[in-house]
Every structure is written in structure tokens, then in C-alpha cells.
Amino acid sequence: MSAFSRLWHRAPLWRLSFFGMIAFSGLTVLYPPHWLLKLYPPLDKLAHHVAAPPADETTGPTSGDTGKGAPTGGDSVQAAAPPIDATLTDILPFAGHQLPLPAGVWHPVLTDQAGPHGEINSNVLVRTDRGVVTGVIIARSTNASISATEADNIAAPCHDDRYTFRRQLAAPPGSAQCVATDVVYVDHDEVSAASDVNWAFRRLKVLGFPMPFVLAQALWVHMVRATDGGINFEAVSIALSPAEPGSAKLNTTPADWTPQGIGQSPFAGRFINSVNNWILSWAPVLLAGHEGRLQPMANGQLRPGAVDPAWHGSAGRIP
């Protein structure tokens, strides 16, 4: 019997260490530390990336828009995929502000910090009903001012004729706010011009969350002039499902959700109109949250205006 064989049979701790060495070597290849990637770059091809790779992103600010006209994400500083079974309700602390959440239980999909110096914070959240996606929130906010030129891209949807509904709203001095609505087709690989949003939707699909082929998007944008002459902003896009409770199927065609089709399809027209009215009523709540004026609701009660057109009254927890 060889020395290796005797050691194998007589030293159980050595056997355990041997198997552990193999297992942890595999994990190191799949999740290599940054110093190891710099030492041996080919490992990056085998590594498992848990967040949207920043190399696909271009410079410039991001907006809360999931559809057409959305600027791409800035240079990613930090990106993470939190446990999707975490539950969020009522108010989410966000970039030094309060983000009021519509009715239901929301779950984190992606968090990101982008921009040349990490000025822009992003959160993507999802809500489900019996396992089916009923809503997706893409929220972005600055933690430091950006240039006025960059900020023009943020408010662009509120001046874009391709949106089905747009309105400038009254705002405190030195600030501006607007809302807009549109439809987003989510059955494509590229849902948005923003790479982090595309990654978030891909994560939902990989995890097996059904969603209809189209979502109605409500966008709220608030901009404030900073003391240094730059602009601070918060942009919240809330994409809502027009499908029946517990279903991802729609009895409408993609053509019914075009600007022309919405005017001819009674169902699409009613749903979009309900989203238009809802975002107008929810905008003051979003503004109050941005200014830190909200108080938590007691005993699980719903905040006034929190019931959006896609909310069906179920718990919406991840199974």
C-alpha cells in the first residue's frame, strides 16, 4: 500500500481537506477576486458575472425610462443582484430620499451606482401576483449634481412626441417636474437603451417570472438646480401589466398598443387612460418622498393613491 493510500484511509480530515481544495478551487475560477483577474485575465471568460458588466455601458446619465429614448447607463461603479425574495413595502429609503412604493410587496432585482464618479443611484424592483409580474419599478436619483447638459437627457421623455401622454406639473421654486406615459414591449432581448434595465429584465426571465408582451409605463421626473450650478434629479419609471389577475396573457395584439391602436382598441385605451390618471395622482406622493415628507403607514394600510391599475389585491410575494 502506497503512502497516499495509507493517508487516504487513515486521515479523514485530510480527505475532507482534499475535497475542499477541489471545491474551493472551482469557486475561485467561477468567482475570481479582482487581483486574480489582473494577474491572469483569461479567467474572466470563465467567471460568473452576478451583475451587468460595466463594459457594455456608455458614458452619460441614465433616466427612469424603460422604453424608447432612454439614455444608456453611465460608467458603472457598483452593481449587484440582491436576493430577489427580499420584501419591500410602503417606503424604500433611496439615495437620501424616500421612494414611495405602490400597493403590494416589491422585490429587489438590481441595484447600481453609475456615472463618472458614481453620481447616479439606480434600483430595479418587481411585483408579482401568483408568480406573474404585475409591475416593475426603475428608480434613479443623484447623490451629487450632474451638468445641465446631461440633465436634459433625463427630462427628454416629457418632451418626446412619441409618448402617448405628457404633462408638465407645478413644482417648487428652482425645480421642475413632469410625467409621461408610454408602452414597453418586453418580449424582445433589448427592452431599453439602458444596459442595466436590460440585465434586470433578463434576470426576471431567467428566474422564470412570466410577464405579458407589453407593459404600460408611467414616468415621473423631478429636477432641482443645485447650488454649484448643476442639476440633481430623481426619475421613477413604473411599468404596469394590463393582463388579468394571475395571468400573463392578453387578448389584444401588439398593434393595439401602438399610438394609433390605443385610440381604436377599447381595452388598451381604457388601461392607458387609467395609467395616465394614476400617475397624475401619484406624482405628489413621489415629490413628497423626494423631499422626505412621508410618514410610514400603520398596520399595513395602503397609502392613498397607492393602488395602481395593475394591482389586484393579492400579497404578491415570491413563492
Side-chain angles (χ1 to χ4, degrees), residues 99-226:
L99 177 62
L101 301 177
V105 179
W106 294 83
H107 309 274
V109 182
L110 176 71
T111 63
D112 185 48
Q113 190 173 350
H117 306 289
E119 299 95 337
I120 302 172
N121 296 275
S122 302
N123 262 331
V124 180
L125 313 174
V126 67
R127 181 185 64 192
T128 64
D129 178 9
R130 282 153 274 190
V132 179
V133 172
T134 62
V136 177
I137 295 176
I138 299 101
R140 305 190 193 276
S141 183
T142 50
N143 54 48
S145 65
I146 60 176
S147 70
T149 302
E150 292 175 315
D152 287 341
N153 294 328
I154 306 301
C158 293
H159 307 285
D160 194 332
D161 291 338
R162 293 174 296 176
Y163 280 71
T164 58
F165 173 78
R166 309 178 311 281
R167 182 168 298 180
Q168 299 289 329
L169 304 179
S175 67
Q177 66 167 333
C178 64
V179 294
T181 63
D182 193 20
V183 298
V184 181
Y185 294 94
V186 297
D187 55 348
H188 304 301
D189 290 336
E190 299 295 320
V191 175
S192 169
S195 58
D196 58 340
V197 174
N198 289 326
W199 191 93
F201 273 89
R202 283 197 296 270
R203 186 186 186 203
L204 291 174
K205 292 174 182 177
V206 168
L207 292 175
F209 291 99
M211 64 184 78
F213 66 85
V214 67
L215 298 173
Q217 174 188 230
L219 174 67
W220 173 79
V221 178
H222 177 59
M223 310 185 74
V224 182
R225 184 167 297 281

Side-chain angles (χ1 to χ4, degrees), residues 92-99 121 141-143 234 289-292:
L92 173 66
F94 176 53
H97 306 288
Q98 298 171 313
L99 177 62
N121 296 275
S141 183
T142 50
N143 54 48
E234 183 176 351
H290 181 83
E291 296 175 344

Side-chain angles (χ1 to χ4, degrees), residues 164-165 167 181-183 216-218 240 242 257 262-263 265-281 308-309:
T164 58
F165 173 78
R167 182 168 298 180
T181 63
D182 193 20
V183 298
Q217 174 188 230
L240 301 171
W257 297 92
I262 290 173
S265 168
F267 176 80
R270 284 196 301 271
F271 191 81
I272 291 297
N273 188 59
S274 66
V275 172
N276 295 346
N277 293 331
W278 176 75
I279 192 60
L280 286 173
S281 65
D308 60 77

Side-chain angles (χ1 to χ4, degrees), residues 280-293:
L280 286 173
S281 65
W282 192 238
V285 184
L286 289 166
L287 179 60
H290 181 83
E291 296 175 344
R293 296 186 282 108

